[in-house]
Amino acid sequence: SSLFLIGGFGGQEILLIALVVLLLFGGKKLPELMKGLGKGIKEFNSAKANIQGEIKESMKEVEDATK
């Protein structure tokens, strides 16, 4: 049951959202929409990793400076 819980959404809610998206955008636009969504998620994760790396590097520099 926890497999279908994504951010508080259950299986029925996800199915309803998918149906509404399909009705709004149609079958022809859906692959393009998903491709754009995938690119956006990839860019977000990349930016998040860069920020985390910069924070870790800054913390290491501060630790080295205090020694």
Side-chain angles (χ1 to χ4, degrees), residues 2-61:
S2 65
L3 177 65
F4 294 106
L5 294 176
I6 301 172
F9 293 113
Q12 292 178 344
E13 288 86 3
I14 292 173
L15 185 61
L16 180 64
I17 291 169
L19 181 64
V20 169
V21 168
L22 183 61
L23 289 173
L24 289 175
F25 295 103
K28 294 181 180 180
K29 287 279 189 180
L30 201 56
E32 185 179 324
L33 181 67
M34 292 296 115
K35 184 178 179 181
L37 181 63
K39 282 185 178 181
I41 291 172
K42 184 177 179 180
E43 289 178 13
F44 175 78
N45 286 334
S46 175
K48 182 176 76 168
N50 287 340
I51 291 172
Q52 287 176 338
E54 289 177 12
I55 291 172
K56 287 179 182 179
E57 185 178 321
S58 297
M59 290 177 69
K60 185 178 178 182
E61 289 175 2

